[in-house]
Amino acid sequence: MSHTLGIRQAQKQKTRQAFLDAALGLLEEQSLSSLGLREVTRAVGVAPTAFYRHFRSTADLGVALVDEALGSLHPMVRTTVSIPGEERITQAVRLIADYVSAHPAHVRFIARERHGGVQPVREAIRAQLARFADEVRSELAKDPGAEGWNDDDLLMLAHLYVDQMLITASLFLETLESPEPSEAERERVTQVATRQLRLISLGRLHWLDTP
Amino acid sequence: MSHTLGIRQAQKQKTRQAFLDAALGLLEEQSLSSLGLREVTRAVGVAPTAFYRHFRSTADLGVALVDEALGSLHPMVRTTVSIPGEERITQAVRLIADYVSAHPAHVRFIARERHGGVQPVREAIRAQLARFADEVRSELAKDPGAEGWNDDDLLMLAHLYVDQMLITASLFLETLESPEPSEAERERVTQVATRQLRLISLGRLHWLDTP
DNA sequence: AATTCCAGAGAACAGTTGTTAACTGGATGA
DNA sequence: TCATCCAGTTAACAACTGTTCTCTGGAATT
């Protein structure tokens, strides 16, 4: 059962969330490695020293942001990959489009810090993406089209899908950042992403044609 | 014809190159948006104000680094893509492996700043990658396997290849950064990348099977 | 009701930052 | 040879950084 938090714990979590929100906002136009501790506390409206009550460093805050950004996405990905047939591709692209629309700053943060200058954050993202890949692999294994596939090749394919989804997310993001975000642009990205996934699925279909 | 530079111009270019080299070194463990001007001049061994003789800002220096990192790669990519048959994939993976080994810091810089916090640099990288995609597209168009393909689909495929190459480069880089860089790890990345490219090529082969 | 706890405030620290202005001295071109 | 140019220097600026130590007032515990 869930324990009701005391006033004190509740207020602390509220402040912590304010830190995460403020940081995410500031990170829209800079990278984590240049994010200052004082900068964040100023945005939240608290004293600089209050930061240490919640995080050891801005790198620590970054790791927390990784979990916030990707943690809740796992069940959705599993569900989407488990859809059979053509519908899977359509729904996967839609899932990404919707997620980018709903949480653009989170997506930007992940894309930016995946190869960014803060090692612990890179590692946290790497671990999350590896989890996604493994989940995709295990869902694909249940698919009838996976007969005759070994686990290595399935994981190779899963990584291809995951990376492709990240690229697509980044393209949708650019769509939002564009000076005049048009529905036509979004539609174009959707079309390209769909066809790229279709092409990969075609390759998958004929993977075992010749040994 | 090439004009021989005076002592003065030559010395200036030498210092400029020292700036680029020093910056690239410092950027191994941080992002461009946190790179300080004084930090760079200190590493070069020159007064802070000397920086302004060469660059307007660190963002400006970043744009110069983009050209240094990717500019010389275009002819190699064209040549590699023009190779027919299975050999093309093998040679492409080898090209990337060699380039990462020879210029790891440049590759890291591109991967990091592609989605980094400095807009002009992102734009410069985007433009270079678009050039690669267009070059790959025009080489693929010459390929016998491209009969019946329209330009839109060819460009879609070209982007898929280019993005895939960047992902592979980043994996090779992680291989070098690993605490104990083993040849076995490199070989594994080579194998995965090769099979991913093969799968994509299989999809390409059957793209026109059903309209 | 008395005591402990602890999120956040306040002040101070030594170092750092980007940018300005005025300079020097060797290469350059008349 | 002499005047011009200009890459790099020196000095100074206000503003900012992360981190420390001490303090406070309300919640939590007894």
Side-chain angles (χ1 to χ4, degrees), chain B residues 106-118:
Chain B
H106 284 94
V107 173
R108 184 179 298 112
F109 170 74
I110 295 296
R112 186 158 291 171
E113 300 304 329
R114 182 186 185 184
H115 303 283
V118 183

Side-chain angles (χ1 to χ4, degrees), chain B residues 112-149:
Chain B
R112 186 158 291 171
E113 300 304 329
R114 182 186 185 184
H115 303 283
V118 183
Q119 199 268 329
V121 172
R122 283 200 309 267
E123 181 53 33
I125 295 175
R126 206 198 53 72
Q128 287 279 352
L129 294 184
R131 250 186 82 192
F132 280 118
D134 203 64
E135 286 160 2
V136 169
R137 182 199 54 76
S138 83
E139 286 300 326
L140 287 178
K142 299 175 189 167
D143 199 82
E147 277 178 49
W149 283 67

Side-chain angles (χ1 to χ4, degrees), chain A residues 29 31 33-34 111-112 115-117 122 153 156 160 163-164 167 170 195-196 199-200 202-204 206-207, chain B residues 29 31 33-34 111-112 115-117 122 153 156 160 163-164 167 170 195-196 199-200 202-203 206-207:
Chain A
E29 33 201 21
S31 346
S33 82
S34 66
R112 185 159 291 169
H115 304 283
R122 283 200 309 268
D153 281 351
M156 172 280 280
L160 198 54
D163 285 333
Q164 189 56 34
I167 291 167
S170 166
R195 282 185 297 174
Q196 285 176 333
L199 192 143
I200 292 174
L202 266 176
R204 174 187 173 221
H206 294 90
W207 184 245
Chain B
E29 33 201 22
S31 344
S33 83
S34 65
R112 186 158 291 171
H115 303 283
R122 283 200 309 267
D153 281 351
M156 172 279 281
L160 199 53
D163 285 332
Q164 190 54 36
I167 291 167
S170 166
R195 282 184 297 172
Q196 285 174 334
L199 192 142
I200 291 174
L202 265 177
H206 293 90
W207 184 244

Side-chain angles (χ1 to χ4, degrees), chain A residues 59-75:
Chain A
D60 197 18
L61 183 152
V63 172
L65 275 177
V66 172
D67 292 343
E68 181 175 87
L70 297 180
S72 69
L73 212 51
H74 292 277

Side-chain angles (χ1 to χ4, degrees), chain A residues 165-181:
Chain A
M165 288 181 176
L166 232 80
I167 291 167
T168 302
S170 166
L171 286 176
F172 275 123
L173 196 61
E174 285 178 23
T175 274
L176 297 181
E177 281 163 349
S178 136
E180 190 63 53

Side-chain angles (χ1 to χ4, degrees), chain A residues 29-57:
Chain A
E29 33 201 21
Q30 64 181 311
S31 346
L32 184 63
S33 82
S34 66
L35 183 70
L37 166 165
R38 296 183 98 106
E39 202 179 350
V40 184
T41 57
R42 200 184 308 126
V44 173
V46 297
T49 47
F51 185 89
Y52 294 105
R53 297 289 176 193
H54 301 271
F55 308 101
R56 228 179 281 279
S57 62

